[in-house]
């Protein structure tokens, strides 16, 4: 057995590496936001809403490709498919820096997203390979906390790069950072899926893996809840530059406001990691979703009444995004918890559903931008309601339980359905 297969990373480095890999997705979105007007001008795209396709094309590429990476990683292990995917990401983003027109740029962003799908699937599967239950939720929260450092600094990095060079410098920066993470992964990440647990890449086996995922009520319901949450977040991200700059006139201070929101989500994930073992994933995520939906409804009502001053808008959004941090990390763990035997396929299914579904829902909200916050507020409230419906389906109409796997023991017991 190779050194890569037998090495066990220290817990801190494991969290840092997984977070760094996951951060490639956040980087590919958030570092682009300050550059959208410059790219649009350079490539002849005058419509502000049309410029949002730079973000959504990436998300669609990632969402479609995750379906392939799930069965591949369950068959060939985690390391190989991950290294191939990150390699595709690096090549696509470097070439995108030299795209001659907007259409080719969108195609390369789509390919970059396809490479990033490996991270979306495999990072989650690797965590599930090593941890389960509330310990997995704790690790996911800590990973998400580090991961959120990228949205905190990414728009600022993008702004600095724009001040010192052309918009193409952002793509070169992304490529170099992804290449560095590829080297780190190659040198340090062990194989977490033993040969004995790999599933054959045969149609019957693949279909059986998908059947296991789709017939698990708890897992698929929480996966769909995550899709609606992601739809809310993506709707805000695609409109954030227009909201902060066009509505509130923040100009070059837009990255500061964006970073503050991301910072709150990082704090939220950190506090979740400290209390999840005591209170459980369900109690925390259910309470957070209620807060998310109620305050989104308050935001919508106030936005319909009239223009929200910046301090009020920011205060409401801060509460909502703090709740988002608690809800998203716990529900992601809850969707994966019963499916350890098919973790790769499960991560690919939920990655597809949440990325493509969330991107479509969020893009609809983004395309409805009308120089007010009403479309985003409406999207947040509706997505919150739908996520709560999914949670009620998962828990048979009950909220704030501890889950069957904790009802009779202190540790997790795998639940097949």
């Amino acid at each position: 057995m190779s050194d890569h297969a037998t090495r066990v990373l220290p817990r801190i480095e494991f969290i840092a590496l997984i977070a760094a890999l996951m951060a490639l997705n956040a980087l590919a979105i958030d570092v682009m936001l300050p550059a959208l007007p410059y790219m649009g001008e350079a490539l002849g795209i005058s419509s502000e809403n049309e410029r949002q396709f730079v973000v959504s094309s990436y998300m669609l590429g990632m969402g479609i490709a995750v379906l392939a990476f799930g069965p591949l990683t369950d068959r060939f292990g985690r390391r190989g498919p991950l290294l191939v995917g990150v390699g595709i990401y690096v090549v696509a983003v470097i070439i995108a820096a030299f795209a001659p027109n907007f259409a080719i740029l969108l195609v390369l962003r789509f390919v970059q997203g396809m490479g990033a799908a490996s991270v979306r699937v495999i990072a989650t599967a690797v965590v599930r390979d090593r941890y389960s239950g509330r310990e997995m939720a704790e690790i996911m929260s800590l990973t998400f906390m580090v991961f959120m450092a990228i949205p905190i600094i990414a728009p600022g990095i993008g702004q600095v790069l724009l001040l010192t060079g052309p918009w193409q410098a952002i793509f070169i920066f992304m490529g170099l950072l992804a290449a560095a993470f590829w080297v780190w992964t190659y040198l340090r990440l062990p194989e977490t899926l033993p040969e004995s647990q790999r599933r054959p890449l045969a149609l019957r086996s693949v279909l059986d893996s998908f059947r296991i995922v789709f017939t698990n009520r708890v897992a698929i319901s929480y996966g769909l809840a995550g899709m609606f949450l992601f739809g809310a977040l993506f709707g805000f991200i695609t409109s954030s530059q227009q909201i902060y700059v066009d509505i509130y006139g923040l100009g070059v201070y837009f990255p500061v406001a964006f970073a503050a929101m991301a910072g709150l989500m990082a704090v939220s994930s950190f506090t979740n990691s400290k209390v999840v073992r005591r209170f459980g994933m369900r109690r925390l995520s259910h309470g957070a979703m209620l807060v998310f939906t109620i305050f989104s409804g308050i935001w919508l009502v106030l936005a319909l009444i009239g223009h929200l001053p910046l301090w009020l808008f920011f205060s409401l959004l801060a509460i909502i995004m703090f709740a988002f941090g608690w809800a998203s990390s716990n529900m992601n763990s809850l969707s994966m918890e019963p499916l350890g035997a098919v973790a790769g396929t499960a991560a690919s299914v939920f990655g597809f559903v949440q990325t493509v579904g969330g991107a479509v829902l969020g893009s609809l909200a983004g395309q409805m931008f009308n120089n007010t916050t009403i479309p985003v507020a409406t999207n947040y409230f509706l997505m919150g309601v739908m996520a709560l419906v999914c949670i009620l389906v998962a828990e048979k109409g009950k909220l704030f339980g501890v889950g069957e796997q904790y009802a009779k023991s202190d540790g997790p017991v795998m639940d097949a359905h």
Side-chain angles (χ1 to χ4, degrees), residues 273-300:
S273 72
K274 295 299 182 183
V275 299
V276 68
R277 289 204 188 202
R278 178 177 178 182
F279 296 104
M281 295 178 280
R282 284 170 169 82
R283 289 170 179 166
L284 293 178
S285 61
H286 297 175
M289 276 312 309
L290 288 173
V291 171
F292 179 98
T293 307
I294 291 170
F295 278 87
S296 295
I298 294 172
W299 173 16
L300 175 58

Coordinates of all heavy atoms in Angstrom, one line a residue, residues 273-300:
S273 N -19.7 25.0 15.6 CA -18.8 23.9 15.9 C -18.6 23.7 17.4 O -18.3 22.6 17.8 CB -17.4 24.1 15.2 OG -16.7 25.2 15.9
K274 N -18.8 24.7 18.1 CA -18.6 24.7 19.6 C -19.9 24.1 20.3 O -19.7 23.6 21.4 CB -18.3 26.1 20.1 CG -16.9 26.6 19.7 CD -15.8 25.7 20.1 CE -14.4 26.2 19.6 NZ -13.3 25.3 20.0
V275 N -21.0 24.2 19.7 CA -22.2 23.8 20.4 C -23.0 22.7 19.8 O -23.9 22.1 20.4 CB -23.2 25.0 20.5 CG1 -22.6 26.2 21.3 CG2 -23.7 25.5 19.1
V276 N -22.5 22.2 18.6 CA -23.3 21.2 17.9 C -23.3 19.9 18.7 O -24.2 19.1 18.7 CB -22.8 21.0 16.5 CG1 -21.4 20.4 16.4 CG2 -23.8 20.1 15.7
R277 N -22.2 19.5 19.3 CA -22.1 18.3 20.0 C -23.1 18.3 21.2 O -23.6 17.2 21.6 CB -20.7 18.0 20.5 CG -19.7 17.7 19.4 CD -18.5 16.9 20.0 NE -17.5 16.7 19.0 CZ -16.6 15.7 19.0 NH1 -16.6 14.9 20.0 NH2 -15.7 15.6 18.1
R278 N -23.3 19.4 21.8 CA -24.2 19.5 22.9 C -25.7 19.5 22.5 O -26.5 18.8 23.2 CB -23.9 20.7 23.8 CG -24.8 20.9 25.0 CD -24.4 22.1 25.8 NE -25.3 22.3 26.9 CZ -25.2 23.3 27.8 NH1 -24.2 24.3 27.6 NH2 -26.1 23.4 28.8
F279 N -26.0 20.3 21.5 CA -27.4 20.5 21.2 C -27.9 19.6 20.0 O -29.1 19.4 19.8 CB -27.7 21.9 20.9 CG -27.5 22.8 22.1 CD1 -26.4 23.6 22.2 CD2 -28.4 22.8 23.1 CE1 -26.2 24.4 23.3 CE2 -28.3 23.7 24.2 CZ -27.1 24.5 24.3
G280 N -26.9 19.2 19.1 CA -27.3 18.4 18.0 C -27.6 19.2 16.8 O -27.9 20.3 16.8
M281 N -27.4 18.5 15.6 CA -27.6 19.1 14.3 C -29.0 19.6 14.1 O -29.2 20.7 13.5 CB -27.1 18.2 13.2 CG -25.6 17.8 13.3 SD -25.2 16.6 12.0 CE -25.7 15.1 12.7
R282 N -29.9 18.8 14.5 CA -31.3 19.1 14.1 C -31.8 20.3 14.9 O -32.4 21.2 14.3 CB -32.2 17.9 14.5 CG -32.1 16.8 13.4 CD -32.8 15.5 13.9 NE -32.9 14.6 12.7 CZ -31.9 13.8 12.3 NH1 -30.7 13.8 12.9 NH2 -32.1 13.0 11.3
R283 N -31.6 20.4 16.2 CA -32.1 21.5 17.0 C -31.5 22.8 16.5 O -32.2 23.8 16.4 CB -31.7 21.3 18.4 CG -32.6 20.2 19.1 CD -32.1 19.9 20.5 NE -32.9 18.8 21.1 CZ -32.5 18.2 22.2 NH1 -31.4 18.4 22.8 NH2 -33.3 17.2 22.7
L284 N -30.2 22.8 16.2 CA -29.5 24.0 15.7 C -30.0 24.4 14.3 O -30.3 25.6 14.1 CB -28.0 23.8 15.7 CG -27.4 23.7 17.1 CD1 -25.9 23.5 17.0 CD2 -27.6 24.9 18.0
S285 N -30.1 23.5 13.4 CA -30.5 23.8 12.0 C -31.9 24.2 11.9 O -32.3 25.1 11.2 CB -30.2 22.7 11.1 OG -30.9 21.5 11.4
H286 N -32.8 23.6 12.7 CA -34.2 23.9 12.7 C -34.5 25.3 13.2 O -35.2 26.1 12.6 CB -35.0 22.9 13.4 CG -35.0 21.5 12.9 ND1 -35.5 20.4 13.5 CD2 -34.4 21.0 11.8 CE1 -35.3 19.3 12.8 NE2 -34.6 19.7 11.7
G287 N -33.8 25.6 14.4 CA -34.0 26.9 14.9 C -33.4 28.0 14.0 O -34.0 29.1 13.8
A288 N -32.3 27.7 13.4 CA -31.7 28.7 12.5 C -32.6 28.9 11.2 O -32.7 30.1 10.8 CB -30.3 28.2 12.0
M289 N -33.2 27.9 10.7 CA -34.1 28.1 9.6 C -35.3 28.9 9.9 O -35.8 29.7 9.1 CB -34.5 26.7 9.0 CG -33.6 26.1 8.1 SD -32.9 27.1 6.8 CE -34.4 27.8 6.1
L290 N -35.8 28.7 11.1 CA -37.0 29.6 11.5 C -36.5 31.1 11.6 O -37.3 32.0 11.1 CB -37.5 29.1 12.9 CG -38.3 27.8 12.9 CD1 -38.6 27.4 14.3 CD2 -39.6 27.9 12.1
V291 N -35.4 31.3 12.2 CA -34.9 32.7 12.2 C -34.6 33.2 10.8 O -35.0 34.4 10.5 CB -33.5 32.8 13.0 CG1 -32.9 34.1 12.9 CG2 -33.8 32.4 14.5
F292 N -34.0 32.4 10.0 CA -33.8 32.8 8.6 C -35.0 33.2 7.9 O -35.1 34.3 7.2 CB -33.1 31.6 7.8 CG -32.8 31.9 6.4 CD1 -31.5 32.2 6.0 CD2 -33.8 31.7 5.4 CE1 -31.2 32.4 4.7 CE2 -33.5 31.9 4.1 CZ -32.2 32.3 3.7
T293 N -36.1 32.4 8.0 CA -37.3 32.7 7.3 C -38.1 33.9 7.9 O -38.6 34.7 7.1 CB -38.2 31.4 7.3 OG1 -37.4 30.3 6.8 CG2 -39.4 31.6 6.4
I294 N -38.2 34.0 9.2 CA -38.9 35.1 9.8 C -38.3 36.4 9.5 O -39.0 37.3 9.1 CB -39.0 34.8 11.3 CG1 -39.9 33.6 11.7 CG2 -39.5 36.1 12.0 CD1 -39.8 33.2 13.1
F295 N -37.0 36.5 9.6 CA -36.4 37.8 9.3 C -36.3 38.1 7.8 O -36.3 39.3 7.4 CB -34.9 37.8 9.9 CG -35.0 38.2 11.4 CD1 -35.1 37.2 12.4 CD2 -34.9 39.5 11.8 CE1 -35.2 37.5 13.7 CE2 -34.9 39.8 13.2 CZ -35.1 38.8 14.1
S296 N -36.3 37.1 7.0 CA -36.4 37.3 5.5 C -37.8 37.9 5.2 O -38.0 38.8 4.4 CB -36.2 36.0 4.8 OG -34.9 35.6 4.9
G297 N -38.8 37.4 5.9 CA -40.2 37.9 5.8 C -40.3 39.4 6.2 O -40.9 40.2 5.6
I298 N -39.6 39.7 7.3 CA -39.6 41.1 7.8 C -38.9 42.0 6.8 O -39.4 43.1 6.5 CB -38.9 41.2 9.2 CG1 -39.7 40.4 10.3 CG2 -38.7 42.6 9.6 CD1 -39.0 40.3 11.6
W299 N -37.8 41.5 6.3 CA -37.1 42.3 5.2 C -38.0 42.6 4.0 O -38.1 43.7 3.5 CB -35.8 41.5 4.8 CG -35.1 42.1 3.7 CD1 -35.1 43.3 3.1 CD2 -34.1 41.4 2.9 NE1 -34.3 43.5 2.1 CE2 -33.6 42.3 1.9 CE3 -33.5 40.1 3.0 CZ2 -32.6 41.9 1.0 CZ3 -32.5 39.7 2.1 CH2 -32.1 40.6 1.1
L300 N -38.7 41.5 3.6 CA -39.6 41.7 2.4 C -40.7 42.7 2.7 O -41.0 43.6 1.8 CB -40.2 40.3 2.1 CG -41.2 40.3 0.9 CD1 -40.6 40.9 -0.4 CD2 -41.8 38.9 0.7

